[in-house]
Amino acid sequence: MDEAEFWTLLERSAEETTDPDYRLTWLTHHLSRLSLAHIADFQLNLEAARRPIDTYAMWGAANQILDGLCSSDTFWYFQPWLIGQGQRLWHHVTQNPDNLADLPAVRVLAGRSHDEWADAEWPQWEELAYVAADAYGRAPGQSDGLHEALDARGHRAYADPEPNDQPWDSDSLTEIAQRLPRLARLFPRRQYVTP
């Protein structure tokens, strides 16, 4: 499975439904019908898609949307959600994290309290990270799991954010205004801010 096939499969799941749980069921079913090598390729493509958005710049943008409550775990779950928005929107946001303000799934959250967000609206989709492992484990007679197969390919998996860009103070109103002007207007910070 190459990168184009990865994005096609992911986007087809979104055409079926917007419900994250049903999308996972759909993806697991379709992945489990592929070869074990293709299932492993799906996971590798998912992890490759994380890399350009695993940055302090993106973490700060997610932190802005979540009103200062974006821990490392939350950011880790935010990344597959962003990938799940599809290749065009993912690519648009990789160009500038403030472009998150253009995503319909982000705009629908603006002006509403987190308490008002439906579970399916939250910008996190941790379960996408496990869909390939689930599909791999369903293969008949398969004794090893996906992680062993990826290890055999020499792949080093990571399970936490590992940004490699310059950190910045995503709780500073001054820095937020400079780096994320559109998100700052859509999601004015109420918590954990400094001048």
Side-chain angles (χ1 to χ4, degrees), residues 43-44 46-48 50-51 54 76 146-164:
Q43 185 66 29
L44 292 174
L46 177 63
E47 292 184 19
R50 275 187 188 270
R51 277 307 192 197
D54 188 17
W76 190 246
L146 176 63
H147 296 293
E148 289 81 6
L150 295 177
D151 285 346
R153 289 186 176 190
H155 175 69
R156 181 190 81 83
Y158 66 112
D160 290 301
E162 295 181 7
N164 61 10

Side-chain angles (χ1 to χ4, degrees), residues 15-109:
E15 292 168 5
E16 294 295 319
T17 181
T18 57
D19 180 84
D21 292 334
Y22 184 74
R23 281 183 74 185
L24 290 171
T25 301
W26 189 95
L27 281 166
T28 303
H29 171 74
H30 282 78
L31 278 172
S32 66
R33 298 171 68 197
L34 302 175
S35 71
L36 294 177
H38 278 77
I39 297 170
D41 290 342
F42 180 91
Q43 185 66 29
L44 292 174
N45 279 292
L46 177 63
E47 292 184 19
R50 275 187 188 270
R51 277 307 192 197
I53 58 173
D54 188 17
T55 64
Y56 286 111
M58 191 66 67
W59 197 339
N63 197 46
Q64 187 66 26
I65 294 168
L66 295 167
D67 200 21
L69 297 173
C70 191
S71 67
S72 61
D73 284 347
T74 304
F75 183 50
W76 190 246
Y77 308 150
F78 173 85
Q79 292 174 14
W81 172 84
L82 179 52
I83 295 164
Q85 301 304 302
Q87 186 177 23
R88 184 181 62 77
L89 295 175
W90 167 86
H91 185 266
H92 180 59
V93 173
T94 63
Q95 305 305 302
N96 178 354
D98 201 34
N99 288 345
L100 280 163
D102 297 327
L103 272 62
V106 169
R107 295 186 73 77
V108 74
L109 302 174

